[in-house]
């Protein structure tokens, strides 16, 4: 039994925080898990910046409404889901992901949730489980699945390395240089071919 585990941002949809940084004119918010391996630290820093600028969930959701999947992502996902099971494992939040899941044809996603005050201020976040991508892959393996994983950032490395097969996709030059043992792809066709090879 095989199951493919994909990251969301940078793999299927553009980075939400980068889009919001551009929309809000706050360049500091462009920092992502590609730059900061410590997700807890990154999120606390982002929440601090939002508070400082008086921005909340509503403003971020307005940006997300304008984000479309990366060209080819939905077709890739549709084809993949027709041949095997697929789960998106993301460190994003349900409040961000839902409109994007609609545009991707409602695939299954495991992600986290934001703590939001009645006035829409983001006050905190609740991670589903610590080291969620790696932990989820190990849990799937414990119930009999072989996992095949792909992602682009530091927080994807655990699930990629723990899987039967794992690939970097649209990653940074630095991450690729640090992990020469991992095959790295730039196009959905290449990634699909690699996954199909493992599934055979």
């Amino acid at each position: 039994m095989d199951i493919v585990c994909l990251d969301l941002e940078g793999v299927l949809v553009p980075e939400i925080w980068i889009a919001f940084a551009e929309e809000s004119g706050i360049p500091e918010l462009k920092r992502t898990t590609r730059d900061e391996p410590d997700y807890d630290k990154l999120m606390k820093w982002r929440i601090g910046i939002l508070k400082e600028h008086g921005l909340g969930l509503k403003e971020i959701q307005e940006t997300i409404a304008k984000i479309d999947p990366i060209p080819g992502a939905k077709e890739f996902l549709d084809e993949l889901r027709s041949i095997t099971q697929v789960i998106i494992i993301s460190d994003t939040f349900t409040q961000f992901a839902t409109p994007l899941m609609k545009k991707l044809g409602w695939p299954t996603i495991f992600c986290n949730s934001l703590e939001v005050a009645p006035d829409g201020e983001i006050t905190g976040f609740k991670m589903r489980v610590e080291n969620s991508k790696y932990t989820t892959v190990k849990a799937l393996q414990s119930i009999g699945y072989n996992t095949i994983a792909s992602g682009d950032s530091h927080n994807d490395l655990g699930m990629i390395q723990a899987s039967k097969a794992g690939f970097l996709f649209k990653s940074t030059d630095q991450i690729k240089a640090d992990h020469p043992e991992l095959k790295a792809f730039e196009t959905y066709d290449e990634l699909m071919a690699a996954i199909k090879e493992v599934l055979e």
Side-chain angles (χ1 to χ4, degrees):
M1 295 289 289
D2 295 294
I3 192 161
V4 176
C5 302
L6 297 174
D7 176 37
L8 177 65
E9 293 178 68
V11 173
L12 297 169
V13 302
E15 293 279 351
I16 291 167
W17 287 96
I18 290 177
F20 186 63
E22 286 166 359
E23 187 88 7
S24 62
I26 305 168
E28 306 96 285
L29 287 174
K30 285 189 176 173
R31 196 164 171 75
T32 71
T33 48
R34 288 167 161 235
D35 316 295
E36 173 54 74
D38 185 336
Y39 192 72
D40 195 61
K41 184 173 154 188
L42 179 64
M43 271 311 296
K44 285 178 175 160
W45 181 77
R46 285 166 167 168
I47 288 170
I49 291 175
L50 292 175
K51 194 175 177 65
E52 199 180 299
H53 290 270
L55 296 166
L57 180 60
K58 183 173 82 76
E59 289 81 9
I60 299 175
Q61 285 178 330
E62 283 168 0
T63 296
I64 293 169
K66 300 174 193 170
I67 295 175
D68 286 319
I70 293 168
K74 184 176 186 301
E75 293 76 8
F76 164 77
L77 201 52
D78 287 346
E79 185 182 345
L80 194 56
R81 289 167 73 196
S82 75
I83 56 174
T84 189
Q85 296 295 312
V86 182
I87 294 180
I88 296 170
I89 305 174
S90 173
D91 279 337
T92 193
F93 306 95
T94 49
Q95 293 95 330
F96 290 1
T98 305
L100 297 168
M101 292 307 99
K102 184 177 181 181
K103 289 179 182 180
L104 286 168
W106 297 113
T108 298
I109 183 167
F110 292 173
C111 60
N112 306 303
S113 60
L114 289 168
E115 292 164 353
V116 183
D119 66 356
E121 183 192 339
I122 297 169
T123 55
F125 57 98
K126 190 168 173 21
M127 301 299 278
R128 192 168 45 80
V129 64
E130 202 174 318
N131 200 353
S132 66
K133 298 185 182 198
Y134 171 80
T135 308
T136 303
V137 154
K138 295 307 281 182
L140 289 165
Q141 290 166 357
S142 78
I143 55 169
Y145 282 99
N146 291 314
T147 57
I148 301 165
S150 187
D152 67 326
S153 295
H154 289 286
N155 62 342
D156 298 311
L157 293 169
M159 74 169 180
I160 290 171
Q161 290 161 335
S163 291
K164 175 173 89 166
F167 311 107
L168 290 170
F169 187 69
K170 295 183 184 291
S171 191
T172 65
D173 290 341
Q174 188 60 58
I175 292 173
K176 287 189 277 196
D178 291 346
H179 296 277
E181 76 285 2
L182 297 175
K183 285 185 183 169
F185 302 118
E186 295 300 319
T187 71
Y188 292 118
D189 287 347
E190 292 171 329
L191 182 57
M192 181 65 79
I195 292 170
K196 281 181 173 173
E197 203 176 308
V198 179
L199 291 173
E200 279 170 7

